[in-house]
């Protein structure tokens, strides 16, 4: 498949016909959603996390909005909502990472809960209720975990290194609130703060790569463990493009494109898949192809195609998005129809291991961007229309 429409249709069919029945029959249960599913279709018994419930609420809300799968997405979204509200959101705004597991703080889980609340449609969670819950979460976060310069701590007392990754998902959550309708102005302020923190501190001025770990003053942490992740170059690139368009910030848009180009130049394996890790000097350090970086590659190039200002750029970006989707579909060749492999070894052989059900968030996000690109390409454009397309 080399055509955008054909590729998007195949992706949609797989989600609708194969994925949703598996989610309803094997992943959903009375306690919520299992964390992992074996290649034989057996749930793996693990503690239930807020992050999974939030990601499932987002994924099924998106599929509802896309009109996929009849009644399944709404049923599953309602189930995810019930689990999130009952097990993971405390009245004081605390997010409980593990169901029944106490009140430990996780900035990562806070980000995903805010994200899911913004994405949930009115039919699943009335906007006013979502806003009330988000207000409590934001207020508690500001009071207890503010970093003195920008962003947030991840523990009290402080735990180092500080990480870019939870902030990336906070930015994603803020953008979801902004584009989904009128919202608390704190979301716009926080989006601005995190995007500017990324531009000022998260990007290595020597290589141009986004880095992961930082000291207490947001300086890049030394040491071999602070690798470069191609998937996050694509993901930050996608987010900076979105924020740059919303704020009419040309520098952010240029930085987003540079991160995507860097991942494309240095982060692809001989199989044409996004690798897991690069060294700080941008050599491939782990050529294993994980599922989620392929989805971020799709999102980045699909958005670039929508934002392209000339036909040559649009054609190239669209071809890259289709190529990335073809790569992702290699992970879907699985003995359990509707499930996926998490990792392909160099050469393309899958590693036989349970599928992470939280990966559906990545998969559905990639489909959403690819479908948005197809819709954008298909619509008639008036000659006088010059504004950049929506990044919703």
């Amino acid at each position: 498949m080399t055509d955008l429409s054909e590729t998007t249709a195949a992706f949609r069919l797989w989600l609708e016909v194969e994925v949703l029945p598996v989610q309803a029959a094997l992943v959903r249960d009375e306690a919520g959603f299992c964390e992992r599913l074996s290649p034989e279709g057996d749930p793996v018994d693990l503690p239930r996390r807020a992050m999974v419930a939030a990601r499932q609420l987002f994924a099924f809300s998106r599929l509802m909005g896309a009109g996929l799968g009849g009644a399944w997405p709404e049923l599953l979204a309602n189930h995810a909502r019930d689990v999130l509200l009952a097990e993971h959101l405390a009245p004081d705004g605390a997010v409980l990472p593990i169901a029944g597991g106490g009140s430990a703080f996780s900035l990562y889980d806070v980000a995903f809960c805010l994200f899911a609340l913004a994405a949930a449609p009115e039919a699943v969670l009335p906007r006013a209720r979502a806003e009330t819950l988000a207000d409590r979460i934001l207020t508690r976060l500001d009071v207890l975990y503010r970093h003195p310069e920008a962003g947030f701590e991840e523990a009290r007392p402080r735990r180092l290194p500080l990480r870019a990754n939870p902030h990336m998902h906070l930015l994603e959550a803020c953008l979801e609130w902004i584009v989904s309708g009128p919202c608390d102005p704190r979301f716009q302020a926080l989006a601005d703060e995190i995007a500017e923190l990324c531009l000022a501190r998260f990007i290595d001025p020597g290589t141009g790569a986004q880095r992961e770990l930082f000291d207490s003053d947001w300086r890049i942490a030394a040491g071999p463990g602070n690798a470069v992740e191609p998937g996050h170059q694509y993901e930050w690139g996608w987010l900076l493009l979105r924020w740059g368009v919303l704020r009419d910030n040309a520098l952010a848009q240029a930085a987003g494109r540079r991160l995507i180009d860097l991942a494309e130049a240095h982060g692809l394996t001989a199989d044409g898949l996004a690798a897991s890790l690069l060294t700080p000097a941008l050599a491939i350090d782990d050529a294993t192809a994980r599922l989620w970086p392929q989805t971020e590659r799709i999102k980045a190039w699909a958005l670039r195609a929508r934002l392209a200002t000339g036909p040559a750029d649009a054609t190239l970006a669209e071809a890259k998005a289709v190529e990335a989707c073809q790569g992702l579909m290699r992970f879907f060749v699985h003995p359990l129809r509707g499930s996926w492999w998490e990792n392909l070894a160099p050469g393309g052989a899958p590693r036989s291991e349970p599928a992470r059900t939280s990966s559906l968030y990545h998969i559905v996000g990639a489909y959403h961007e690819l479908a948005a690109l197809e819709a954008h390409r298909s619509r008639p454009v008036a000659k006088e229309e010059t504004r950049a397309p929506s990044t919703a």
Side-chain angles (χ1 to χ4, degrees), residues 68-76:
L68 269 70
W72 283 125
E74 184 171 4
L75 181 149
L76 290 162

Side-chain angles (χ1 to χ4, degrees), residues 28-99:
R28 176 191 58 156
D29 60 25
E30 290 183 0
F33 298 90
C34 73
E35 291 274 328
R36 301 188 189 186
L37 196 65
S38 78
E40 295 74 35
D42 300 317
V44 179
D45 186 22
L46 290 167
R48 303 301 177 93
R49 294 178 296 160
M51 187 267 282
V52 172
R55 284 185 171 196
Q56 298 293 77
L57 178 53
F58 160 79
F60 298 126
S61 296
R62 273 287 187 270
L63 294 176
M64 277 181 66
L68 269 70
W72 283 125
E74 184 171 4
L75 181 149
L76 290 162
N78 283 329
H79 191 56
R81 173 208 61 205
D82 291 345
V83 172
L84 194 65
L85 298 186
E87 300 291 342
H88 299 290
L89 299 185
D92 66 351
V95 172
L96 311 180
I98 303 295

Side-chain angles (χ1 to χ4, degrees), residues 6 18 39 44 47 89 97 150 177 201 215 242 260 272 276 282 304 332 334 362 383 385 391:
E6 183 182 357
E18 299 190 18
V44 179
L89 299 185
W177 276 99
R201 298 302 185 90
D215 71 9
R242 295 182 66 197
I260 296 165
S276 290
L282 307 185
R304 276 187 68 162
F332 302 162
H334 193 276
H362 292 288
K383 290 183 179 179
E385 184 174 340
T391 60

Side-chain angles (χ1 to χ4, degrees), residues 1-12 15 238 294-295 297-306 317-326 328-329 332 362-378 392:
M1 294 177 291
T2 57
D3 176 75
L4 173 64
S5 296
E6 183 182 357
T7 302
T8 306
F11 200 167
R12 180 186 180 102
L15 285 167
W238 173 69
Q294 320 313 317
T295 67
R297 187 181 178 215
I298 293 168
K299 289 159 58 178
W301 283 112
L303 180 57
R304 276 187 68 162
R306 285 199 287 141
E318 181 180 309
K320 292 285 189 182
V322 170
E323 175 188 298
C325 191
Q326 292 168 350
L328 175 65
M329 288 177 174
F332 302 162
H362 292 288
I363 292 167
V364 170
Y367 171 76
H368 177 72
E369 280 291 352
L370 202 66
L373 172 57
E374 184 188 23
H376 172 75
R377 191 185 69 168
S378 301

Side-chain angles (χ1 to χ4, degrees), residues 215-255:
D215 71 9
S216 59
D217 296 316
W218 288 120
R219 294 177 299 217
I220 296 171
N226 197 357
V228 173
E229 298 193 27
H232 284 162
Q233 311 305 305
Y234 288 119
E235 197 164 4
W236 274 109
W238 173 69
L239 288 167
L240 288 175
L241 277 174
R242 295 182 66 197
W243 180 79
V245 170
L246 286 168
R247 302 303 274 170
D248 194 24
N249 187 313
L251 292 177
Q253 294 178 56

Side-chain angles (χ1 to χ4, degrees), residues 269-273 287-289 330 344-350:
T269 69
D271 302 321
L273 299 174
T288 301
R330 294 169 60 181
L344 300 183

